[in-house]
Amino acid sequence: MYIKRTNSTNTLLKELIAKGEWPEGEKYIYAGYQTAGRGQTGNGWESEEDKNLLCSILVESRKIKDKSPFYLNVIVSVAVYKVIQSFVYEQSGLLSLSEAVSIKWPNDIYWQDKKVAGILIENAIIGNEVKYSIAGIGLNVNQTEWKSDAPNPVSLKQITGKTYDIEALMQQLYEEVQKALTEDLWGYYKVHLYRKDGFWPFVEREVSTAPTTNANADANGQFMARIQDILPTGEIVLEDQEGQERVYHFKQVRYIV
């Protein structure tokens, strides 16, 4: 389903389901423009009208019922990663640069040190059961100028110089997500992580959402660490240069880019 303009595709999809107005058989919605596009923890998402892919994909709970809640982030991250690889490298002849694309924990997609896509997963929980999930995806496609204070955006067009068909991207992305739902992608996700090798600068963050007590209190500002693992629950396991293991939830620590 295509909508010319909405506040947020995630919000609209949830509202339509709640009202019983979501058309039977529809699996996703994408928009030409969002007036209140959202990223993780309420961050905004800049997008010029009809220049980028702004979508939400409905995921049935039965397809991920035996997985951890974080695993949907893995599924969608890998799907977006593969679509970008296809459009940027296979179709643009830039295969030699394939290592430039990576998955930045937990679910951003980067080209070199710039953000090309972001993902927001939301679950509809009734009682103790997840009834369905929504994967909101913002993929920078044909936009070439940025007016917000977003620190490091980049689009497919800026990378390749080519203009892309957003509807075709939407269809390929949906198909890639459906394929990913049938696969075990933990290993693939970890292999393609941003800065997966070597020591890189991180900094702990003050956050208002629980569980903040899991953050180590001994890192005053920046520290150097390498990625050891991503746990099934979504935490990142780092090892600092002193050999100390540090485990963080999302937003308790951030990369310094």
Side-chain angles (χ1 to χ4, degrees):
M1 176 190 294
Y2 173 77
I3 297 293
K4 179 67 175 176
R5 179 178 286 241
T6 186
N7 54 358
S8 157
T9 56
N10 270 29
T11 300
L12 177 59
L13 199 160
K14 287 187 292 184
E15 289 176 350
L16 290 174
I17 291 175
K19 295 176 181 178
E21 297 176 0
W22 180 247
E24 185 176 355
E26 286 284 359
K27 300 298 183 183
Y28 60 79
I29 186 171
Y30 70 109
Y33 184 73
Q34 292 183 133
T35 59
R38 294 177 293 130
Q40 293 284 357
T41 65
N43 293 334
W45 186 268
E46 178 190 355
S47 180
E48 194 174 338
E49 190 163 357
D50 292 321
K51 290 294 183 70
N52 302 314
L53 177 56
L54 311 169
C55 71
S56 295
I57 297 175
L58 181 64
V59 180
E60 299 172 32
S61 59
R62 63 180 177 81
K63 294 188 176 181
I64 52 172
K65 65 178 181 179
D66 297 325
K67 307 292 185 180
S68 71
F70 180 76
Y71 189 67
L72 187 54
N73 289 273
V74 173
I75 289 170
V76 181
S77 297
V78 170
V80 177
Y81 173 92
K82 288 185 175 182
V83 168
I84 291 173
Q85 285 284 66
S86 172
F87 273 78
V88 173
Y89 298 115
E90 294 176 16
Q91 296 187 27
S92 301
L94 298 176
L95 289 170
S96 62
L97 299 178
S98 61
E99 290 300 316
V101 177
S102 59
I103 302 168
K104 180 173 173 284
W105 173 83
N107 56 18
D108 287 335
I109 310 299
Y110 265 47
W111 178 77
Q112 297 182 350
D113 290 323
K114 295 185 177 183
K115 184 174 179 177
V116 67
I119 296 163
L120 176 63
I121 303 294
E122 296 186 288
N123 297 312
I125 300 175
I126 300 177
N128 295 321
E129 184 179 354
V130 176
K131 290 297 183 181
Y132 63 86
S133 298
I134 297 173
I137 301 159
L139 172 59
N140 298 328
V141 182
N142 295 322
Q143 187 165 338
T144 57
E145 295 183 2
W146 309 91
K147 299 177 182 179
S148 73
D149 58 357
N152 56 347
V154 70
S155 69
L156 300 185
K157 186 170 183 176
Q158 286 177 307
I159 296 169
T160 68
K162 296 179 179 292
T163 299
Y164 295 89
D165 184 320
I166 293 175
E167 184 177 358
L169 269 170
M170 179 70 251
Q171 184 60 36
Q172 183 171 344
L173 177 57
Y174 173 74
E175 292 172 359
E176 201 64 61
V177 168
Q178 298 311 300
K179 180 181 177 182
L181 285 166
T182 67
E183 300 175 338
D184 182 354
L185 295 171
W186 266 111
Y188 192 99
Y189 174 85
K190 293 178 184 180
V191 165
H192 293 92
L193 281 173
Y194 175 69
R195 294 181 174 176
K196 66 182 179 65
D197 298 318
F199 286 86
W200 295 92
F202 292 84
V203 65
E204 290 185 353
R205 306 182 63 168
E206 290 288 339
V207 291
S208 59
T209 55
T212 59
T213 54
N214 285 8
N216 293 291
D218 60 341
N220 296 315
Q222 180 176 324
F223 63 98
M224 300 292 290
R226 61 185 176 187
I227 298 174
Q228 290 288 87
D229 199 5
I230 307 296
L231 301 180
T233 46
E235 295 98 330
I236 191 170
V237 181
L238 302 176
E239 180 188 15
D240 64 25
Q241 289 181 310
E242 288 70 45
Q244 179 183 356
E245 185 177 277
R246 302 172 178 268
V247 181
Y248 297 98
H249 287 269
F250 179 50
K251 290 297 184 183
Q252 291 180 329
V253 69
R254 66 175 175 85
Y255 298 80
I256 295 176
V257 178

